[in-house]
Amino acid sequence: MADRAKVAPDRRRVSTSRLWVMTILAGAMVWAALASLSTSPDARLSSGTIAQASGLVAVLAIFGLRSVPVRWIVRGLALFSGALLARFGQLGATEGLVGSWRVLVWVGALGAALTFAPSSRSVFVDTGPHDTGQDGTGTDGTGTDGTGPDGVGSDGAASRGSMGRAMGLASQTRGRIPVAVAIAAVSLVAGSALLIGPRASNWFPTGAKASDLVDQARNSSNNVLVSRESLDMAERPQLSDKVIMSVRSPVVSFWRAELFDQWDGTTWTRSYANRGRILADGHVEPAADDIAAEKGVETTQEFRLQGGFATVMPSAPTPVAVTSSNEVAQRIDGTLVSAYQALGSGTTYTVRSRQMALSPDILRAAGAAQPLERVSPVAARVMAQYAMRPATTERVIALAQRLTAGQSNDYDRVMALQRWMSQNNTYSLEAPLSPKGVDVVDHFLFEQREGWCEQIASSLVVLARAVGIPARLATGYAPGEWDGAGGRFVVRERDAHAWAEVWFPEQGWVPFDPTSTVPLSGSEDAAVGAQARDWREVLGMVLVALGVISVSTGPVSGFVGRMFAAIRRRASRTRWGGETWSARAIRRLERAGERTDRARSPSESMSSYGHSVSESSGDRRFAEVGTLLDRHAFDSPRVGDAEIEERVERVLAEIESH
């Protein structure tokens, strides 16, 4: 008995299998919280370690803390894991609702765990059979024949007998959560999160925020977020799964960081090095050749950096305004950099940018009628800077001329070059570096034939320039993974990318890339809405439908009905800041007794007082009310409260009417 006394009461009413279900759900909540921490700069936990730690925490909490009510443990782990997600993970309101599938796991596990966890009220726990004793009397002392222990057999005797039988039946079935209830709860919670998450994320604007951490160890030349005056083709970028940033954007786009226009055969540089200005008012002055800045459709992107160290500020082309808590500068090509200090993890900023509505037919018609240098003075300057004969070998130039022969416009020429490269070259992060002293593009196209994005994009720019097409090299990041839960793109180090940008006289700079399938800006495919209805949204609708169907079934509707009936009864018995129904009934009984010249002494129980008044007045209803009030006050667990309250109210009304 001593060991049993150390076990929390609600554990005695819960089966072992149900405890294990709650352990698994609690472990899932902890796992979701810890897994989200692995994306931060100072936490790189392996998935195996996270799973083991989460399972151990859940098992020790549920099965080790036997004296603590299991409902407290489940709620405590929910608060603990939710706090981790909010402060260090992916639910911080100050950074916007940056959701992920781990957050959905946490939400689903939370809903299911709270459904399975027993309540402090017996109506929600596994009570087991305790309706009648072996002597034929119920636990409330009511005889199975309908008479109370005092032999009171008023006109409510049959009612009390049926009440006892009803309470006994309820105690046998109470608290056993039907499978359909669990399915309904998990389906509705998870489905709602999948459907509402992307929309709810827009209710939490990110706004500008300074960094929490600057990691100087990340200040290296292979970090794409570090500003550099040259791009050496003999060095690979960092390509891990580490999250670099997240972007909330209504369009699918490359996140452009830097631009280069001069090529010497091995290295890219800028002809306008160290030229730019500080953005005093956040307004960006684009270059004259950036036509989208004037004619494009405006959109807004919110960036949250997580890489630990950055001096460039990626944006969707073409940026026209920036909101940031840091001083921002721009180069004359319109790219953005931090003016005075590095940006650390947690930095957030907003960019307004403009994109042209593009299609293959629009680009085919652009500038096809006459040479670009005759279109306008801007076109002439673009040709002089970006279409000069490149520093490369004769066989590279001959290849470009052969591949574009017969094409009547720049779009089809570029597509011919891009198509040949896709068919004859291989993208590989493990490709060997080009030997020193050789033309990198020539070696890649004719000897090595495999390389990573910078080699491929450089080759496309050189081939385009070889046939007089104005082109430049852009570096930054591919769009990343669309996170339907949070309505954001999650961008990782491995999304670091380089691509070619080709100039058209009416549209400005247009990206081309043989290795990535980023759609043309302004097209239907470039709208996030075209990608948002992914498997998450479909799954969300299926889960919500399953939840609604489950709720409509008999077991669920009955369970929900009993639950809300209990809530209504509890609300009717207790008023905020007021007294319970039983306290009011006691006062009414005392007033009725005083009218018979029998006042209640402070030490008298209601049962004793009722019997005394009945003997002096000859009205057995006083004894019945007193017995019912004592049963309500002292029986544990309290079963049949609604029936007791109803009977007391009816009998008191009869007494008061005489």
Side-chain angles (χ1 to χ4, degrees):
M1 294 297 293
D3 291 341
R4 184 173 176 80
K6 295 179 181 178
V7 179
D10 66 347
R11 291 177 177 270
R12 300 172 189 164
R13 309 183 185 109
V14 178
S15 65
T16 303
S17 60
R18 187 165 162 189
L19 282 176
W20 274 111
V21 171
M22 286 186 286
T23 301
I24 294 172
L25 294 171
M29 287 191 295
V30 176
W31 173 85
L34 293 179
S36 72
L37 304 185
S38 63
T39 62
S40 63
D42 52 350
R44 305 290 293 276
L45 302 177
S46 68
S47 57
T49 302
I50 294 172
Q52 293 172 8
S54 304
L56 182 61
V57 168
V59 170
L60 290 178
I62 299 293
F63 289 96
L65 304 175
R66 293 174 58 79
S67 62
V68 180
V70 69
R71 65 183 184 277
W72 292 2
I73 293 176
V74 170
R75 295 168 186 172
L77 290 177
L79 289 174
F80 166 73
S81 57
L84 286 180
L85 283 169
R87 176 61 183 88
F88 302 106
Q90 296 170 308
L91 283 177
T94 56
E95 292 86 15
L97 184 62
V98 187
S100 73
W101 65 274
R102 294 187 183 91
V103 175
L104 294 178
V105 170
W106 180 79
V107 171
L110 173 64
L114 295 179
T115 301
F116 277 94
S119 169
S120 58
R121 303 289 294 182
S122 62
V123 72
F124 299 119
V125 298
D126 296 330
T127 59
H130 58 277
D131 53 327
T132 58
Q134 294 180 357
D135 59 354
T137 60
T139 54
D140 56 1
T142 304
T144 57
D145 62 350
T147 60
D150 56 355
V152 175
S154 68
D155 57 354
S159 175
R160 292 196 301 274
S162 62
M163 184 193 308
R165 288 190 296 273
M167 291 187 292
L169 178 61
S171 66
Q172 291 180 11
T173 59
R174 181 173 288 112
R176 290 185 175 86
I177 299 177
V179 174
V181 174
I183 294 175
V186 175
S187 299
L188 288 174
V189 170
S192 299
L194 284 166
L195 293 175
I196 297 174
R199 297 158 180 80
S201 67
N202 295 323
W203 304 340
F204 297 89
T206 297
K209 180 173 180 279
S211 65
D212 296 328
L213 174 69
V214 175
D215 184 3
Q216 294 292 340
R218 307 285 298 174
N219 184 11
S220 57
S221 59
N222 60 351
N223 179 2
V224 179
L225 291 176
V226 174
S227 177
R228 45 193 166 175
E229 295 305 318
S230 64
L231 180 62
D232 189 350
M233 301 300 293
E235 187 176 28
R236 291 184 178 86
Q238 295 176 342
L239 298 172
S240 72
D241 286 336
K242 177 182 175 61
V243 175
I244 289 297
M245 63 183 176
S246 62
V247 185
R248 182 186 297 160
S249 171
V251 295
V252 184
S253 173
F254 286 116
W255 315 122
R256 189 172 68 188
E258 298 194 283
L259 295 168
F260 299 93
D261 68 323
Q262 286 189 329
W263 170 250
D264 64 5
T266 60
T267 304
W268 283 99
T269 56
R270 281 186 286 269
S271 60
Y272 45 87
N274 299 322
R275 293 174 59 189
R277 72 180 189 93
I278 302 294
L279 303 184
D281 55 358
H283 177 70
V284 179
E285 292 185 1
D289 54 48
D290 212 337
I291 298 170
E294 294 184 2
K295 299 182 179 181
V297 177
E298 188 169 292
T299 60
T300 300
Q301 295 80 42
E302 295 175 338
F303 292 80
R304 180 174 187 259
L305 302 182
Q306 296 177 240
F309 190 100
T311 52
V312 299
M313 303 174 69
S315 64
T318 295
V320 295
V322 182
T323 302
S324 173
S325 60
N326 301 87
E327 291 286 349
V328 181
Q330 70 159 101
R331 297 193 181 98
I332 63 171
D333 58 22
T335 55
L336 307 174
V337 296
S338 177
Y340 301 115
Q341 61 185 6
L343 309 178
S345 179
T347 299
T348 60
Y349 60 94
T350 300
V351 177
R352 286 191 291 114
S353 61
R354 292 177 182 168
Q355 297 82 35
M356 297 293 292
L358 301 177
S359 69
D361 290 340
I362 291 175
L363 295 178
R364 284 190 179 97
Q370 57 183 317
L372 286 183
E373 57 268 20
R374 298 181 184 177
V375 173
S376 67
V378 171
R381 289 196 297 271
V382 168
M383 292 296 293
Q385 182 175 354
Y386 297 103
M388 75 290 287
R389 181 183 175 92
T392 190
T393 63
E394 290 298 327
R395 61 176 177 174
V396 169
I397 295 176
L399 174 65
Q401 293 172 343
R402 177 172 60 85
L403 294 175
T404 57
Q407 304 297 337
S408 60
N409 60 82
D410 285 351
Y411 176 78
D412 285 333
R413 293 187 185 98
V414 174
M415 293 303 296
L417 298 173
Q418 184 171 284
R419 192 162 45 248
W420 182 88
M421 292 186 64
S422 298
Q423 296 170 353
N424 293 273
N425 302 107
T426 303
Y427 179 85
S428 174
L429 298 176
E430 305 301 325
L433 298 174
S434 299
K436 292 184 178 181
V438 304
D439 184 289
V440 172
V441 170
D442 181 276
H443 184 264
F444 170 74
L445 292 175
F446 296 103
E447 307 295 336
Q448 189 165 301
R449 292 183 177 260
E450 68 172 354
W452 55 92
C453 57
E454 290 176 346
Q455 295 168 308
I456 295 172
S458 297
S459 298
L460 182 57
V461 173
V462 169
L463 288 170
R465 288 184 175 185
V467 290
I469 300 174
R472 64 187 181 185
L473 184 76
T475 62
Y477 291 91
E481 177 186 2
W482 170 248
D483 181 359
R488 287 177 176 265
F489 293 95
V490 178
V491 185
R492 304 178 185 275
E493 278 189 337
R494 56 178 163 80
D495 294 315
H497 204 55
W499 60 94
E501 290 189 349
V502 175
W503 193 81
F504 292 83
E506 298 295 329
Q507 292 74 33
W509 294 103
V510 178
F512 289 86
D513 184 12
T515 65
S516 181
T517 56
V518 176
L520 290 172
S521 67
S523 65
E524 292 184 359
D525 292 338
V528 168
Q531 299 191 2
R533 189 175 292 276
D534 56 9
W535 65 268
R536 296 178 179 86
E537 186 162 346
V538 174
L539 178 60
M541 291 187 288
V542 171
L543 288 175
V544 169
L546 178 61
V548 172
I549 293 172
S550 299
V551 168
S552 65
T553 63
V556 180
S557 60
F559 181 86
V560 173
R562 291 193 299 273
M563 181 180 68
F564 279 102
I567 293 173
R568 286 194 299 270
R569 289 196 300 270
R570 194 176 306 150
S572 68
R573 291 194 298 269
T574 305
R575 295 178 179 176
W576 293 109
E579 60 184 354
T580 63
W581 72 267
S582 59
R584 294 192 299 274
I586 289 172
R587 286 194 293 103
R588 291 170 65 188
L589 183 63
E590 289 174 339
R591 285 197 300 267
E594 290 171 356
R595 289 198 296 268
T596 66
D597 297 325
R598 173 64 170 88
R600 178 190 171 207
S601 65
S603 61
E604 260 185 314
S605 68
M606 295 310 300
S607 178
S608 175
Y609 177 64
H611 278 82
S612 178
V613 175
S614 293
E615 291 176 359
S616 62
S617 66
D619 190 343
R620 304 295 297 173
R621 290 175 296 192
F622 283 94
E624 181 182 357
V625 173
T627 300
L628 289 173
L629 288 173
D630 274 355
R631 182 189 303 169
H632 164 75
F634 300 113
D635 279 358
S636 180
R638 295 177 182 174
V639 293
D641 278 352
E643 293 88 346
I644 292 176
E645 179 183 357
E646 181 182 356
R647 179 63 178 169
V648 167
E649 291 288 341
R650 184 165 65 84
V651 176
L652 279 173
E654 293 175 358
I655 293 174
E656 292 169 340
S657 66
H658 288 79

